[in-house]
Amino acid sequence: MRYLAAVAVAGLVAACGGGGGSTSSTGGSNGGGTATPTMTVAVINSGGAVVTSVSVGGAAMARATLRDASGAAIAGRLVNFTVSDEAIAALSPATALTDASGVAQVSVEPASLSARGAASVTASATVGETAVTASTDFSVSASSLALSALSISPTALASGGNATVSTTASIAGVAAGSTPVNVAFSASCGRIDGQDTGSGGFSKTTNGSGVASVTYSAVDGAGQPCSGTVTVTASSAGASAQTGTLTVAAPVANTVTFVDATPQQIFVAGSGAAEQSVLRFRVLSSVGTSLASVPVRLSIETNPGGVGLDASGSPAAVTKTSDADGYVSVSAFSGTIPGAVKVRAALVSSPTVFAESQFLTVASGPPSQRFMSLSAGQFALEGWAVDGTSTTLTVRLADRQGNAVEDGTVINFTAEGGQVARSCATTRTANISSCSVTFVTQNPRPAGGRASVLAYTEGTKDYVDVNGNNIFDAGDTLVQIGDAYRDDNESNVFDAGEFVVPRGASGACTGAGGAFPSKSNTCDGGLATTVRQQAVLLFASTTPAISSVSATRSRLSFKLHSSDNLLLPMPAGTRVTATTSPTTCLIDNIAGAPLADARPTPGRPLEDLATTVALSLSGCAAGNAVTITVTAPSGLATTFPAVTLP
């Protein structure tokens, strides 16, 4: 027993003690004594020699060697590499496994072509529970980057033409195929790869052969063609810039285009409306760029009568020069005869190159206040308690001669209550000018159930043509009318808060209400005005009320009202029926049913529009009874207590 105990103690001592020795490990004991694994790190070149400096394209490597405590290589172990300053150098990849010789290595390169300075590379690994690290310092030296002379093809361009420009980047005399290089291209005039370089260069990265290639276009950022000698420059950080030149032919005008006419419609002279339109043409080169300082001859090709070019009444051709953007503008003035106008713009240097205007028309005359007419398909609408009951509003317009206005004349609408479409544009049917919009009942519902609607457009006042020349001129008598307004309360004067179409005049004149509301003291001596007309639509009730019942044995009559507004009728189309007791009392006729439409008079808010209904009776006697039923267009029927005949 003593022998066995001694052996056990000896074994325990051996297990706890182990052998001695030193290690280069930065970790703790590995449990087998003080000896630890070791690691060394070095930066080597492509030949395997240790170096202290790296440069672009130098193929330098960071090499770590890992050995155990006995100095034997440790294979298959993960090694992590880091660099102290990533702005100086970069590693690729950042990890590697040790090989059979205990070696792991990764590429180390300058972070960029312009990187300079010094840094440390550190390798770390774990062996068992021991962390092992090692590091070494190195410097990053300047890269010998160079750009080749520019290759430009072709060097002679037509106006607006293109050329290919390229340069080869090399490092230490070798094309930078594996190292991308950013090359900035710029030109004294024109675009590089479609981008204007007037405010800075256009950057292009070299390809796998070290070549950076771009396309030069001889058109500047504003769309204007370049001409003469153009200098192209290529540059890159750390390399000397390279320049080259090419020659661009001067642009030649070979196209004229029509741009627009503003406005497209003018009116006969003296009508008081627009009599002048500005037409624009543009001179272009063969590549579609605008050209300045090109002489252009402008002439009237279609003249309905009296149209002037650049001056009223002057039909002679004029010559103008295109501006900095290639535009040529000329004014056309109307004459006294309506019709289409066509103006031609031709190059003075080549008259067969021309364009002609489109869409310009001299109209017979603008809308006249005297020839403005607004109507409604139905005025008495079932709208006090019902949304969406609709009616059609139609405006008919003519000039002061009673002729249709031009198609496309826009009429504007505004309403005190309900909802109305904002505008319509006139068209001619059977040569009569009109347009229509829809009005529907909805909130707001004006007190009293009368909703004012105003239709208006630009036009002219009426006048007495004293000398009969169809032109408003000295000696003619103007029929004054002030600003148009919507007379919501039908007071026949403008009140604060009511919709108005201001024209800015302040001349003295009498105001008016009714169908053609005019605000007082807003007149001037001109012919132009806002042509207008107002209508009133009725928001009638769904439920009726009756009054003024009068009965004999041969006749029964009463007044039929909207129950919510007693001055209003029931909606147009309301039906009235009756039954009698006994049935020997016959109803021969019901006059006033179904109800016809009631047309209110604007400016008369207190007018009584209730409808009189009369029943003709036969075979009736005193004491017989007649029962009245009123049915609204929506279908709601209301039956009143029986009326006993006297």
Side-chain angles (χ1 to χ4, degrees):
M1 291 294 290
R2 291 191 184 94
Y3 174 76
L4 291 175
V7 172
V9 170
L12 180 61
V13 171
C16 294
S22 64
T23 71
S24 61
S25 169
T26 59
S29 170
N30 63 4
T34 59
T36 59
T38 62
M39 177 182 284
T40 59
V41 175
V43 176
I44 61 174
N45 61 19
S46 58
V50 175
V51 295
T52 58
S53 178
V54 299
S55 61
V56 173
M61 306 288 288
R63 182 179 65 188
T65 303
L66 182 62
R67 300 182 183 279
D68 63 14
S70 65
I74 300 176
R77 190 70 60 180
L78 174 68
V79 179
N80 291 286
F81 293 85
T82 59
V83 67
S84 61
D85 190 343
E86 293 182 349
I88 297 295
L91 302 174
S92 179
T95 59
L97 290 177
T98 56
D99 59 16
S101 301
V103 174
Q105 57 188 24
V106 296
S107 171
V108 57
E109 287 279 344
S112 66
L113 290 171
S114 59
R116 304 286 189 277
S120 297
V121 60
T122 299
S124 60
T126 300
V127 179
E129 296 180 357
T130 302
V132 186
T133 63
S135 63
T136 189
D137 299 331
F138 65 95
S139 65
V140 174
S141 59
S143 302
S144 54
L145 176 66
L147 298 178
S148 69
L150 295 185
S151 172
I152 302 176
S153 178
T155 56
L157 299 181
S159 177
N162 299 323
T164 299
V165 181
S166 64
T167 184
T168 300
S170 60
I171 299 173
V174 179
S178 60
T179 303
V181 178
N182 288 326
V183 180
F185 290 86
S186 62
S188 58
C189 179
R191 303 178 184 182
I192 301 294
D193 278 3
Q195 296 192 26
D196 180 28
T197 63
S199 58
F202 174 80
S203 183
K204 191 67 175 283
T205 303
T206 56
N207 60 19
S209 300
V211 177
S213 180
V214 295
T215 298
Y216 166 80
S217 300
V219 178
D220 67 16
Q224 295 300 310
C226 302
S227 62
T229 300
V230 175
T231 300
V232 181
T233 302
S235 60
S236 185
S240 298
Q242 297 292 331
T243 61
T245 60
L246 46 81
T247 303
V248 182
V252 176
N254 68 350
T255 303
V256 179
T257 63
F258 171 67
V259 179
D260 54 30
T262 307
Q264 293 182 358
Q265 177 178 282
I266 55 179
F267 298 90
V268 292
S271 65
E275 300 177 7
Q276 176 184 355
S277 177
V278 176
L279 297 94
R280 292 195 305 163
F281 298 85
R282 199 172 195 184
V283 181
L284 303 175
S285 70
S286 58
V287 293
T289 57
S290 57
L291 293 180
S293 304
V294 178
V296 177
R297 182 178 185 272
L298 299 122
S299 59
I300 301 175
E301 298 300 308
T302 302
N303 191 339
V307 173
L309 202 60
D310 236 22
S312 180
S314 175
V318 296
T319 298
K320 292 179 173 285
T321 301
S322 59
D323 64 16
D325 296 316
Y327 289 107
V328 177
S329 299
V330 67
S331 293
F333 295 85
S334 62
T336 57
I337 300 175
V341 177
K342 187 168 289 186
V343 175
R344 174 177 293 187
L347 296 178
V348 171
S349 61
S350 181
T352 58
V353 178
F354 65 86
E356 292 183 341
S357 64
Q358 304 292 324
F359 315 120
L360 179 59
T361 301
V362 177
S364 60
S368 170
Q369 178 62 60
R370 191 160 65 99
F371 287 87
M372 169 80 167
S373 183
L374 170 64
S375 60
Q378 182 177 323
F379 289 91
L381 309 173
E382 187 177 357
W384 189 256
V386 176
D387 278 354
T389 303
S390 65
T391 187
T392 299
L393 301 175
T394 299
V395 169
R396 293 173 174 83
L397 279 177
D399 63 18
R400 70 178 305 273
Q401 303 301 331
N403 300 132
V405 298
E406 292 299 312
D407 287 354
T409 300
V410 176
I411 313 299
N412 303 289
F413 292 82
T414 178
E416 173 191 8
Q419 181 181 169
V420 66
R422 66 181 66 179
S423 64
C424 61
T426 61
T427 57
R428 283 175 290 180
T429 302
N431 213 28
I432 298 299
S433 179
S434 66
C435 71
S436 300
V437 298
T438 299
F439 175 94
V440 297
T441 58
Q442 66 169 68
N443 286 332
R445 292 170 164 85
R450 295 170 64 100
S452 297
V453 178
L454 181 70
Y456 63 96
T457 188
E458 284 297 298
T460 62
K461 305 169 187 174
D462 193 24
Y463 65 93
V464 179
D465 189 9
V466 175
N467 58 13
N469 64 354
N470 196 33
I471 296 175
F472 176 66
D473 51 18
D476 291 343
T477 304
L478 192 65
V479 179
Q480 283 288 9
I481 187 169
D483 288 347
Y485 73 96
R486 193 185 65 221
D487 192 9
D488 291 347
N489 60 10
E490 298 183 77
S491 65
N492 296 310
V493 295
F494 173 76
D495 294 301
E498 291 180 326
F499 174 83
V500 64
V501 185
R503 300 186 66 87
S506 57
C509 59
T510 303
F516 306 100
S518 169
K519 185 180 178 182
S520 63
N521 301 323
T522 56
C523 293
D524 59 24
L527 191 59
T529 191
T530 302
V531 174
R532 84 297 301 265
Q533 185 168 350
Q534 176 169 306
V536 173
L537 301 178
L538 306 177
F539 283 38
S541 300
T542 299
T543 56
I546 61 175
S547 67
S548 304
V549 178
S550 175
T552 67
R553 283 175 290 176
S554 61
R555 187 176 187 273
L556 172 63
S557 65
F558 56 89
K559 290 189 71 174
L560 184 59
H561 314 255
S562 282
S563 62
D564 300 290
N565 297 286
L566 295 178
L567 292 176
L568 301 190
M570 284 292 286
T574 296
R575 293 180 292 112
V576 178
T577 57
T579 59
T580 60
S581 178
T583 57
T584 54
C585 179
L586 302 178
I587 300 172
D588 296 330
N589 181 54
I590 302 178
L595 267 62
D597 195 20
R599 180 170 182 167
T601 303
R604 294 181 59 186
L606 299 180
E607 63 181 335
D608 187 353
L609 298 173
T611 305
T612 297
V613 179
L615 286 69
S616 297
L617 308 175
S618 62
C620 300
N624 290 173
V626 180
T627 301
I628 305 298
T629 298
V630 178
T631 305
S634 63
L636 180 66
T638 302
T639 300
F640 292 92
V643 177
T644 301
L645 301 181

